[in-house]
């Protein structure tokens, strides 16, 4: 096994597999430290993001979805409040 002496720069990812700019393949057993629960570039995630981006993609103003997401976050975590920043 090679020692990692530099950061991995990923050119492509799918599922748990990552390919760097030199063509080396890696397995991401943490799936983006948990942020990619379904794996990298999963078709459900890509479809949801594509759908939202075609409707609206604003940076700065709050989305109409913020209240729903905050409520779900509180239900999942048991917190009473949360804020986006």
């Amino acid at each position: 096994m090679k020692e990692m002496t530099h950061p991995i720069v990923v050119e492509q990812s799918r599922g748990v597999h990552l390919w760097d700019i030199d063509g080396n393949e890696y397995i991401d057993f943490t799936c983006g430290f948990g942020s990619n629960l379904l794996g990298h570039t999963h078709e459900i995630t890509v479809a949801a993001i594509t759908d939202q981006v075609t409707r609206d993609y604003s940076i700065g103003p709050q989305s109409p979805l913020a209240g729903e997401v905050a409520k779900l976050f509180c239900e999942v975590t048991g917190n009473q409040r949360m804020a986006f920043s």
Side-chain angles (χ1 to χ4, degrees):
M1 184 156 118
K2 286 183 174 180
E3 179 181 330
M4 297 290 293
T5 58
H6 59 281
I8 299 170
V9 179
V10 174
E11 184 171 272
Q12 181 183 1
S13 60
R14 180 155 309 275
V16 297
H17 301 276
L18 305 170
W19 292 269
D20 69 12
I21 58 175
D22 296 320
N24 299 303
E25 182 178 351
Y26 303 89
I27 295 177
D28 180 5
F29 64 90
T30 67
C31 284
F33 301 105
S35 65
N36 299 316
L37 185 62
L38 301 175
H40 298 277
T41 322
H42 192 280
E43 59 269 8
I44 292 172
T45 307
V46 171
I49 292 170
T50 301
D51 179 57
Q52 182 59 48
V53 168
T54 57
R55 282 190 274 135
D56 180 55
Y57 180 65
S58 304
I59 297 185
Q62 196 165 76
S63 166
L65 298 173
E68 181 182 347
V69 172
K71 182 179 176 184
L72 289 170
F73 180 86
C74 289
E75 287 176 12
V76 169
T77 63
N79 291 324
Q80 293 181 353
R81 298 176 66 185
M82 65 101 37
F84 295 99
S85 60

